[in-house]
Amino acid sequence: MPQPPRRLDPQARREQIIAAAVGYFAEVGFGGTTRDLARRIGITQALLYRYFASKAELVEAVFERVFLDRLSPRWADEIRDRSQPLEARLRRFYRQYATAIFTYEWMRIFMWAGLAGEALNRRYLSRVGDSLLVLLREEIVAAGPYRTPDMEEMWALHGSIVYIGIRRFIYQLPTPTDDGPVVDRSVERFLTGLRR
C-alpha cells in the first residue's frame, strides 16, 4: 500500500506531480493512466485531480516542461548575432539544442506522442520551424555565398542532429560520447552543399 501523502505546499506538490508524470510518460507512453501515476507518486488519484482537472491538462504541463521550457529565448539573438561567422552560429545553436533535447525524457515522450497521434509533436515542430528554422534560413541567405535552402533542407539538417538522440535513447545504439564534433560536421556538410 502506498504511504499516506506527505503534506507539501501546493506549488511543491504540483512540481512533484509534473516531475513524476514526465518520468512516467517517458517510460510507458501516453496510454499510461493517472491512477497508476498517482500510485507511483504515493498519492491518491483524487489529489492528483485537485492539481490537474484532467489527464489532458497534466499532459499539457508535461509538454511545457519537457519541450517548451527547453527552448532558450537567447537562441534567436545568438543566431542573429552577425558579429560571429554564420557557421559558428549554426554550430553553437545546434550544440546547445542537442544538449537541451538529448535526454531520455525528451526523446521518449516525443516518440510516444507521435505514435499516439498527439498534437504535441505538431505543435512543437511548428514552433521550431516558425521560430528557429525560418530564422536560421534567413541568416544563411543574408550571409552568402550560399543559395537559399528550402525548408525541407532545413528540416533535413535539423533531423540529422535529432537522429543522434533517437539512436541513443530510442534504439539504444552506441553514439559518440561527445556530440559536438558530430554536430559540427553536420553543419559543415550542410553549408558546403549550399555553396554557390
Side-chain angles (χ1 to χ4, degrees):
M1 292 290 294
Q3 296 295 317
R6 282 182 327 163
R7 193 165 287 285
L8 295 175
D9 71 67
Q11 187 59 35
R13 179 66 73 191
R14 186 175 195 284
E15 287 300 311
Q16 177 198 35
I17 293 169
I18 293 172
V22 166
Y24 176 69
F25 290 132
E27 181 186 334
V28 305
F30 289 107
T33 66
T34 55
R35 181 182 314 279
D36 287 342
L37 172 60
R39 189 176 303 122
R40 281 189 182 202
I41 300 170
I43 63 174
T44 65
Q45 190 177 23
L47 179 59
L48 187 148
Y49 280 119
R50 268 195 235 153
Y51 289 88
F52 299 95
S54 65
K55 181 179 176 183
E57 190 177 303
L58 176 59
V59 167
E60 184 65 27
V62 167
F63 172 70
E64 288 177 16
R65 174 67 50 86
V66 172
F67 297 108
L68 301 186
D69 289 355
R70 292 175 196 236
L71 297 175
S72 172
R74 283 190 338 263
W75 288 343
D77 291 335
E78 290 175 359
I79 290 167
R80 285 190 192 101
D81 179 9
R82 293 184 182 171
S83 70
Q84 299 296 313
L86 174 69
E87 187 168 337
R89 288 182 275 156
L90 265 66
R91 285 179 178 191
R92 181 178 59 221
F93 164 69
Y94 272 114
R95 279 177 174 240
Q96 291 174 0
Y97 187 77
T99 298
I101 70 165
F102 284 7
T103 69
Y104 175 86
E105 292 81 11
W106 194 97
M107 289 292 166
R108 303 256 318 167
I109 288 175
F110 191 77
M111 289 297 151
W112 283 121
L115 291 170
E118 296 280 341
L120 302 178
N121 295 51
R122 291 186 296 279
R123 284 173 47 207
Y124 177 76
L125 292 173
S126 177
R127 181 164 240 177
V128 166
D130 295 344
S131 66
L132 295 172
L133 298 189
V134 166
L135 178 56
L136 289 168
R137 185 174 182 249
E138 288 169 2
E139 291 303 308
I140 290 167
V141 170
Y146 305 105
R147 66 174 175 76
T148 303
D150 60 35
M151 285 307 291
E152 193 57 35
E153 289 172 303
M154 297 303 302
W155 279 113
L157 169 62
H158 193 79
S160 72
I161 292 165
V162 172
Y163 190 64
I164 299 165
I166 292 171
R167 285 176 29 233
R168 182 176 302 155
F169 295 105
I170 304 301
Y171 301 140
Q172 298 173 2
L173 294 172
T175 56
T177 53
D178 181 1
D179 301 314
V182 180
V183 168
D184 292 349
R185 286 192 300 273
S186 293
V187 168
E188 182 182 356
R189 277 193 304 274
F190 175 72
L191 291 176
T192 298
L194 295 179
R195 285 191 186 279
R196 294 176 198 214

